[in-house]
Amino acid sequence: MAAGLLEVSSLPSRFSPDRIMASAAYPDLPATKTKDEESQTDAHSTVDDTTSYKELVAEEYDHAIKYRTCSWEKTAALLFSEYICLAITSFPWSYSVLGLVPGIILTIVVAGIVQYTSLVLWRFCLKHPDVRDACDIGKLLFGGSQLAYNATAVFFFLNNTFIQALHVLVGAELLNTLTNSPVCTIVYSVVTVVVCFVVTLPRTLNQLSSLGTFSALFMGIAILLCIIFAGVQDHPFGFIAGQNPIVTAIPIKGTSFVSGMSAFLNITYTLVGQIVLPSFIAEMKDPNEFPKALWAVTISEVIVYILCGALVYHWTGNQYVTAPAFGALQPVLKKIAFSFAIPTIIFLGALYSSITSRFIFFRIFRNSHHRHSNTFIGWSAWAGIIAATWIVAFVIAEVIPFFSDMLSLMSSLFDSWFGFIFWGMAYLRMHPGPKRWAGPWRSLETLVNYFLILLGAYIFVAGTYTSIKSIVDSYQQRLFGSAFSCASNAI
């Protein structure tokens, strides 16, 4: 194993009581190899990867709470809940800025890059079975550096907490929209936080996966209704007589760099979700099956993203398109379609809270039985950590008056690493020195990964510039409200 993570030698020895009992519970579990046997085996073989994961699964056989229990189908449910989300309804706006043809091409290209880097990530996790989250990978990529681990942990926490804060705001936005804003928006934010807290309480991703299926299903219905309603309504909301929707195949003349970059980043940030994948892989019974879940989700998301973006844009045009696209629907239709997004708004925020809370909880109880037992201390700590993440998310959502631009800024800073740079580096770590150039195809793949690192660096710089410029422009136009405002944010 690479430096910085648990050593393989920390696993039970072949003849330990734990190993004997685990073998009885898992009769197909291969025997642990001696150091001499290990030295004769290719360190990169899939057989060894599988053996290591089976040993980790076997260690949990007598635990009250078993984490490594997800089938690939349940992992697919988690992935679907992450990618079939509310952000899809912002694609029509991106296509209106970029033009229909470039928008569709960028969607396919970015999805392909994310698919490839996710497979690199998966293979890296197989090489390092003790990896539990993106923070462990950050440490490995920088030679076991504790500083790198801590920096990655800060990025990890901020990224996930800002996504939780987004769901607090969107939850209040939905409730304001459905009820015509009869109460203070802060009340709706608190209601969202409380419901999300309850949904986050299950300790394992296996338990959350069923809710993930429910979430993705309802979001799919919301998107389908949005598309249908956009097509059947007489006119988009806000329609001006004589000004029919204008749809362009390419960007309209005068589109600024900031606008174009914002639209591109909107597509990129929606597709980039690799930050949670190591956590998903770590709780699978057989991580070798992860690509099945990944391919199923990638194919589905590309179809859904393009259909939603292209069709809704076609019917609403440059003048009437909104983000989210529900805003372009007539009031009654908007409420009907938007209401089906409730499970996703709640569950996806809860999923990111669970991932963050799991990271903290596992570090506090790294070698404690509270980690895998139904003890009062364990459950109290788990609930307390979850509550803390939601309190922080609530404060962030309410305090920052330019939250949307701030979220874009955070995404530029973090997604450039978790979406591109990390996985180019992971590939290079798995193919050191001359191995990177062993043949034309390997050399080509190596060049692709160097390009991914450069692309991540570009997104880091250009995305940060775009976000800061947007904040400055909004301040000049006095578009920001105040902290803890009761003003309605209904669409």
Side-chain angles (χ1 to χ4, degrees):
M1 296 296 292
L5 293 182
L6 298 175
E7 298 295 331
V8 173
S9 59
S10 67
L11 297 173
S13 66
R14 180 185 298 181
F15 301 108
S16 70
D18 287 343
R19 176 65 194 179
I20 294 172
M21 295 176 71
S23 298
Y26 296 83
D28 62 336
L29 185 66
T32 304
K33 296 181 180 182
T34 64
K35 290 184 178 180
D36 290 339
E37 290 171 331
E38 288 177 345
S39 66
Q40 299 172 11
T41 305
D42 179 6
H44 295 292
S45 70
T46 303
V47 174
D48 279 355
D49 299 334
T50 305
T51 300
S52 297
Y53 268 106
K54 284 186 176 180
E55 289 172 338
L56 293 173
V57 171
E59 285 184 354
E60 293 188 334
Y61 84 98
D62 61 345
H63 293 174
I65 299 174
K66 297 178 177 63
Y67 293 99
R68 300 179 188 273
T69 54
C70 273
S71 63
W72 76 265
E73 294 90 348
K74 291 186 176 182
T75 302
L78 294 170
L79 288 171
F80 270 107
S81 71
E82 182 188 6
Y83 285 106
I84 306 301
C85 60
L86 189 64
I88 297 173
T89 60
S90 65
F91 272 54
W93 172 80
S94 289
Y95 288 5
S96 74
V97 176
L98 298 169
L100 189 58
V101 174
I104 292 175
I105 292 173
L106 281 173
T107 300
I108 295 172
V109 170
V110 175
I113 291 174
V114 172
Q115 171 72 7
Y116 171 74
T117 54
S118 297
L119 290 172
V120 171
L121 179 163
W122 162 69
R123 190 59 190 158
F124 190 84
C125 288
L126 287 185
K127 301 304 177 191
H128 306 282
D130 288 320
V131 165
R132 291 224 56 114
D133 46 53
C135 304
D136 287 338
I137 292 179
K139 184 174 184 177
L140 283 170
L141 293 179
F142 290 91
S145 167
Q146 189 63 36
L147 177 61
Y149 177 85
N150 292 334
T152 306
V154 171
F155 283 14
F156 183 78
F157 178 82
L158 288 176
N159 180 85
N160 293 358
T161 306
F162 265 82
I163 291 176
Q164 288 178 243
L166 172 64
H167 284 258
V168 172
L169 282 181
V170 174
E173 180 181 72
L174 182 145
L175 292 173
N176 269 319
T177 301
L178 297 182
T179 62
N180 297 320
S181 311
V183 300
C184 177
T185 294
I186 297 175
V187 174
Y188 283 148
S189 295
V190 172
V191 170
T192 303
V193 166
V194 172
V195 174
C196 287
F197 166 78
V198 173
V199 174
T200 312
L201 285 173
R203 291 270 284 272
T204 69
L205 294 180
N206 186 29
Q207 294 169 313
L208 285 175
S209 63
S210 297
L211 294 175
T213 303
F214 185 73
S215 166
L217 176 63
F218 269 73
M219 192 63 227
I221 295 173
I223 293 168
L224 181 61
L225 289 176
C226 183
I227 295 172
I228 293 173
F229 290 162
V232 301
Q233 65 183 357
D234 292 334
H235 300 290
F237 181 73
F239 177 76
I240 300 174
Q243 298 186 19
N244 292 324
I246 298 174
V247 178
T248 58
I250 59 176
I252 62 175
K253 186 177 180 179
T255 300
S256 67
F257 171 80
V258 171
S259 296
M261 193 66 191
S262 295
F264 163 70
L265 292 175
N266 180 65
I267 293 174
T268 302
Y269 297 155
T270 303
L271 285 161
V272 168
Q274 298 99 310
I275 190 171
V276 298
L277 298 193
S279 302
F280 290 174
I281 294 170
E283 295 203 13
M284 291 186 71
K285 288 186 293 188
D286 183 5
N288 284 284
E289 294 190 318
F290 178 73
K292 296 179 184 178
L294 188 63
W295 276 109
V297 172
T298 299
I299 293 171
S300 300
E301 74 183 9
V302 170
I303 294 172
V304 173
Y305 289 14
I306 291 176
L307 286 178
C308 179
L311 292 176
V312 175
Y313 172 47
H314 171 74
W315 286 312
T316 58
N318 294 329
Q319 312 100 301
Y320 311 112
V321 70
T322 61
F326 299 115
L329 302 179
Q330 295 296 330
V332 174
L333 300 179
K334 172 175 62 180
K335 290 181 180 181
I336 294 173
F338 201 11
S339 65
F340 280 91
I342 293 175
T344 293
I345 293 171
I346 294 170
F347 177 79
L348 194 51
L351 179 62
Y352 273 86
S353 174
S354 179
I355 297 296
T356 304
S357 300
R358 181 175 274 91
F359 163 73
I360 299 171
F361 184 81
F362 284 179
R363 269 57 191 176
I364 294 175
F365 297 107
R366 182 182 295 274
N367 298 311
S368 170
H369 71 283
H370 296 299
R371 176 174 170 174
H372 53 73
S373 303
N374 288 310
T375 63
F376 176 79
I377 292 177
W379 275 103
S380 297
W382 175 249
I385 293 168
I386 292 172
T389 67
W390 280 112
I391 291 171
V392 173
F394 171 78
V395 172
I396 290 174
E398 297 296 330
V399 166
I400 301 176
F402 50 92
F403 179 80
S404 179
D405 289 320
M406 188 65 181
L407 181 64
S408 295
L409 177 60
M410 292 296 100
S411 297
S412 300
L413 295 174
F414 305 149
D415 284 355
S416 55
W417 291 91
F418 294 124
F420 302 96
I421 297 174
F422 264 25
W423 318 125
M425 293 177 62
Y427 169 86
L428 297 177
R429 290 277 295 184
M430 290 189 290
H431 302 89
K435 290 184 179 180
R436 298 174 190 170
W437 313 104
W441 287 109
R442 177 64 69 202
S443 298
L444 178 61
E445 188 175 7
T446 298
L447 292 175
V448 167
N449 279 274
Y450 277 119
F451 167 76
L452 292 178
I453 294 174
L454 293 176
L455 176 60
Y458 171 76
I459 291 174
F460 179 87
V461 175
T464 301
Y465 166 79
T466 299
S467 301
I468 293 176
K469 184 69 166 59
S470 179
I471 293 173
V472 172
D473 290 345
S474 296
Y475 258 118
Q476 291 175 346
Q477 298 173 32
R478 301 182 183 276
L479 298 178
F480 297 136
S482 58
F484 290 100
S485 173
C486 279
S488 173
N489 62 348
I491 61 174

